[in-house]
mmCIF file of all heavy atoms in Angstrom:
data_model
loop_
_atom_site.group_PDB
_atom_site.id
_atom_site.type_symbol
_atom_site.label_atom_id
_atom_site.label_comp_id
_atom_site.label_asym_id
_atom_site.label_seq_id
_atom_site.Cartn_x
_atom_site.Cartn_y
_atom_site.Cartn_z
ATOM 1 N N PRO A 113 -10.022 46.790 20.013
ATOM 2 C CA PRO A 113 -10.228 48.101 19.377
ATOM 3 C C PRO A 113 -10.259 49.210 20.404
ATOM 4 O O PRO A 113 -10.721 49.008 21.539
ATOM 5 C CB PRO A 113 -11.606 47.929 18.684
ATOM 6 C CG PRO A 113 -12.281 46.859 19.439
ATOM 7 C CD PRO A 113 -11.198 45.896 19.869
ATOM 8 N N GLU A 179 -9.629 41.759 -3.806
ATOM 9 C CA GLU A 179 -10.806 41.955 -2.939
ATOM 10 C C GLU A 179 -10.524 41.660 -1.492
ATOM 11 O O GLU A 179 -11.017 42.308 -0.578
ATOM 12 C CB GLU A 179 -11.957 41.042 -3.438
ATOM 13 C CG GLU A 179 -12.383 41.273 -4.865
ATOM 14 C CD GLU A 179 -12.897 42.710 -5.115
ATOM 15 O OE1 GLU A 179 -13.085 43.480 -4.160
ATOM 16 O OE2 GLU A 179 -13.075 43.015 -6.312
ATOM 17 N N ILE A 193 -16.772 35.333 4.394
ATOM 18 C CA ILE A 193 -17.487 34.161 3.948
ATOM 19 C C ILE A 193 -17.403 34.123 2.426
ATOM 20 O O ILE A 193 -17.749 35.077 1.749
ATOM 21 C CB ILE A 193 -18.957 34.208 4.357
ATOM 22 C CG1 ILE A 193 -19.042 34.333 5.924
ATOM 23 C CG2 ILE A 193 -19.643 32.934 3.945
ATOM 24 C CD1 ILE A 193 -20.505 34.475 6.395
ATOM 25 N N GLU A 227 -6.470 21.419 2.466
ATOM 26 C CA GLU A 227 -5.280 20.593 2.645
ATOM 27 C C GLU A 227 -4.016 21.440 2.481
ATOM 28 O O GLU A 227 -2.894 20.893 2.483
ATOM 29 C CB GLU A 227 -5.291 19.464 1.633
ATOM 30 C CG GLU A 227 -6.395 18.481 1.810
ATOM 31 C CD GLU A 227 -6.442 17.423 0.703
ATOM 32 O OE1 GLU A 227 -5.750 17.589 -0.316
ATOM 33 O OE2 GLU A 227 -7.135 16.426 0.908
ATOM 34 N N GLN A 243 -18.041 13.299 -1.818
ATOM 35 C CA GLN A 243 -19.030 13.013 -2.849
ATOM 36 C C GLN A 243 -18.508 11.877 -3.718
ATOM 37 O O GLN A 243 -19.277 10.942 -4.112
ATOM 38 C CB GLN A 243 -19.254 14.282 -3.718
ATOM 39 C CG GLN A 243 -19.946 15.390 -2.975
ATOM 40 C CD GLN A 243 -20.209 16.571 -3.874
ATOM 41 O OE1 GLN A 243 -20.609 16.406 -4.994
ATOM 42 N NE2 GLN A 243 -20.042 17.791 -3.368
ATOM 43 N N GLU A 361 -35.713 11.994 -15.262
ATOM 44 C CA GLU A 361 -36.185 10.850 -14.528
ATOM 45 C C GLU A 361 -35.101 9.772 -14.468
ATOM 46 O O GLU A 361 -34.496 9.384 -15.483
ATOM 47 C CB GLU A 361 -37.434 10.257 -15.220
ATOM 48 C CG GLU A 361 -38.681 11.011 -14.948
ATOM 49 C CD GLU A 361 -39.097 10.981 -13.482
ATOM 50 O OE1 GLU A 361 -39.128 9.893 -12.897
ATOM 51 O OE2 GLU A 361 -39.338 12.079 -12.924
ATOM 52 N N THR A 379 -36.824 23.233 8.824
ATOM 53 C CA THR A 379 -38.207 23.625 8.647
ATOM 54 C C THR A 379 -38.400 25.122 8.955
ATOM 55 O O THR A 379 -39.027 25.864 8.161
ATOM 56 C CB THR A 379 -39.140 22.785 9.477
ATOM 57 O OG1 THR A 379 -38.972 21.395 9.209
ATOM 58 C CG2 THR A 379 -40.607 23.169 9.262
ATOM 59 N N CYS A 410 -19.121 32.212 16.947
ATOM 60 C CA CYS A 410 -17.771 32.417 17.398
ATOM 61 C C CYS A 410 -17.484 33.890 17.789
ATOM 62 O O CYS A 410 -16.821 34.182 18.821
ATOM 63 C CB CYS A 410 -16.765 32.017 16.305
ATOM 64 S SG CYS A 410 -16.717 30.244 15.986
ATOM 65 N N GLY A 415 -15.475 37.708 20.930
ATOM 66 C CA GLY A 415 -15.352 39.131 20.700
ATOM 67 C C GLY A 415 -14.847 39.443 19.300
ATOM 68 O O GLY A 415 -14.745 38.600 18.407
ATOM 69 N N GLN A 418 -9.683 39.123 15.437
ATOM 70 C CA GLN A 418 -9.610 38.167 14.311
ATOM 71 C C GLN A 418 -8.932 36.866 14.683
ATOM 72 O O GLN A 418 -9.373 35.772 14.289
ATOM 73 C CB GLN A 418 -8.906 38.844 13.106
ATOM 74 C CG GLN A 418 -9.698 39.941 12.472
ATOM 75 C CD GLN A 418 -8.973 40.625 11.352
ATOM 76 O OE1 GLN A 418 -7.763 40.651 11.347
ATOM 77 N NE2 GLN A 418 -9.731 41.204 10.408
ATOM 78 N N GLY A 433 -26.780 22.148 12.289
ATOM 79 C CA GLY A 433 -27.334 23.291 11.562
ATOM 80 C C GLY A 433 -28.602 22.893 10.769
ATOM 81 O O GLY A 433 -29.152 21.810 10.947
ATOM 82 N N ARG A 506 7.559 -16.351 -30.810
ATOM 83 C CA ARG A 506 7.837 -15.014 -31.366
ATOM 84 C C ARG A 506 8.704 -14.226 -30.382
ATOM 85 O O ARG A 506 8.487 -14.288 -29.156
ATOM 86 C CB ARG A 506 6.565 -14.225 -31.643
ATOM 87 C CG ARG A 506 5.599 -14.943 -32.545
ATOM 88 C CD ARG A 506 4.356 -14.090 -32.819
ATOM 89 N NE ARG A 506 3.355 -14.914 -33.519
ATOM 90 C CZ ARG A 506 2.334 -15.485 -32.888
ATOM 91 N NH1 ARG A 506 2.177 -15.326 -31.611
ATOM 92 N NH2 ARG A 506 1.459 -16.191 -33.567
ATOM 93 N N CYS A 509 10.839 -7.100 -31.130
ATOM 94 C CA CYS A 509 11.951 -6.178 -31.172
ATOM 95 C C CYS A 509 11.392 -4.774 -31.273
ATOM 96 O O CYS A 509 10.630 -4.458 -32.249
ATOM 97 C CB CYS A 509 12.891 -6.504 -32.352
ATOM 98 S SG CYS A 509 14.422 -5.495 -32.343
ATOM 99 N N ARG A 561 0.281 -3.729 -27.766
ATOM 100 C CA ARG A 561 -0.243 -4.641 -28.805
ATOM 101 C C ARG A 561 0.819 -5.730 -29.101
ATOM 102 O O ARG A 561 0.494 -6.893 -29.331
ATOM 103 C CB ARG A 561 -0.594 -3.853 -30.085
ATOM 104 C CG ARG A 561 -1.836 -3.016 -29.925
ATOM 105 C CD ARG A 561 -2.311 -2.557 -31.312
ATOM 106 N NE ARG A 561 -1.342 -1.622 -31.865
ATOM 107 C CZ ARG A 561 -1.395 -0.303 -31.730
ATOM 108 N NH1 ARG A 561 -2.343 0.251 -30.967
ATOM 109 N NH2 ARG A 561 -0.477 0.488 -32.276
ATOM 110 N N THR A 580 13.883 2.503 -23.377
ATOM 111 C CA THR A 580 14.235 1.438 -22.439
ATOM 112 C C THR A 580 13.396 1.561 -21.176
ATOM 113 O O THR A 580 12.906 0.557 -20.645
ATOM 114 C CB THR A 580 15.722 1.499 -22.099
ATOM 115 O OG1 THR A 580 16.488 1.333 -23.315
ATOM 116 C CG2 THR A 580 16.092 0.363 -21.144
ATOM 117 N N GLU A 620 34.176 -5.404 -27.862
ATOM 118 C CA GLU A 620 34.762 -5.803 -29.156
ATOM 119 C C GLU A 620 34.022 -7.004 -29.709
ATOM 120 O O GLU A 620 33.302 -7.690 -29.022
ATOM 121 C CB GLU A 620 36.249 -6.185 -28.954
ATOM 122 C CG GLU A 620 36.450 -7.361 -27.991
ATOM 123 C CD GLU A 620 37.922 -7.691 -27.827
ATOM 124 O OE1 GLU A 620 38.727 -7.173 -28.598
ATOM 125 O OE2 GLU A 620 38.194 -8.537 -26.963
ATOM 126 N N PHE A 634 25.599 -10.274 -45.230
ATOM 127 C CA PHE A 634 24.985 -8.960 -45.400
ATOM 128 C C PHE A 634 25.887 -7.981 -46.239
ATOM 129 O O PHE A 634 25.474 -6.919 -46.533
ATOM 130 C CB PHE A 634 24.690 -8.279 -44.053
ATOM 131 C CG PHE A 634 23.674 -9.071 -43.210
ATOM 132 C CD1 PHE A 634 24.106 -9.815 -42.130
ATOM 133 C CD2 PHE A 634 22.341 -9.030 -43.564
ATOM 134 C CE1 PHE A 634 23.185 -10.548 -41.380
ATOM 135 C CE2 PHE A 634 21.430 -9.748 -42.786
ATOM 136 C CZ PHE A 634 21.818 -10.499 -41.727
ATOM 137 N N ALA A 642 25.835 -5.246 -34.116
ATOM 138 C CA ALA A 642 25.468 -6.512 -34.745
ATOM 139 C C ALA A 642 25.859 -7.680 -33.882
ATOM 140 O O ALA A 642 25.103 -8.685 -33.762
ATOM 141 C CB ALA A 642 26.209 -6.595 -36.121
ATOM 142 N N LYS A 699 40.130 -20.067 -19.483
ATOM 143 C CA LYS A 699 41.117 -20.596 -18.481
ATOM 144 C C LYS A 699 40.390 -21.154 -17.280
ATOM 145 O O LYS A 699 40.835 -22.167 -16.725
ATOM 146 C CB LYS A 699 42.029 -19.427 -18.052
ATOM 147 C CG LYS A 699 42.889 -18.893 -19.199
ATOM 148 C CD LYS A 699 43.780 -17.767 -18.663
ATOM 149 C CE LYS A 699 44.640 -17.224 -19.829
ATOM 150 N NZ LYS A 699 45.521 -16.089 -19.335
ATOM 151 N N ILE A 710 41.954 -34.405 -11.351
ATOM 152 C CA ILE A 710 42.733 -34.672 -10.162
ATOM 153 C C ILE A 710 41.860 -35.381 -9.114
ATOM 154 O O ILE A 710 42.275 -36.387 -8.485
ATOM 155 C CB ILE A 710 43.284 -33.381 -9.560
ATOM 156 C CG1 ILE A 710 44.349 -32.802 -10.518
ATOM 157 C CG2 ILE A 710 43.924 -33.648 -8.203
ATOM 158 C CD1 ILE A 710 44.835 -31.408 -10.144
ATOM 159 N N GLU A 720 46.128 -41.259 -2.987
ATOM 160 C CA GLU A 720 47.581 -41.123 -3.091
ATOM 161 C C GLU A 720 48.008 -40.814 -4.494
ATOM 162 O O GLU A 720 49.221 -40.744 -4.781
ATOM 163 C CB GLU A 720 48.247 -42.453 -2.643
ATOM 164 C CG GLU A 720 47.962 -42.785 -1.191
ATOM 165 C CD GLU A 720 48.544 -44.083 -0.778
ATOM 166 O OE1 GLU A 720 49.166 -44.747 -1.646
ATOM 167 O OE2 GLU A 720 48.433 -44.449 0.391
#
Side-chain angles (χ1 to χ4, degrees):
E179 302 299 351
I193 303 175
E227 295 176 347
Q243 296 184 38
E361 284 295 309
T379 302
C410 291
Q418 290 176 333
R506 307 184 189 95
C509 187
R561 287 193 295 269
T580 302
E620 61 180 350
F634 298 105
K699 295 180 180 179
I710 293 172
E720 298 178 357

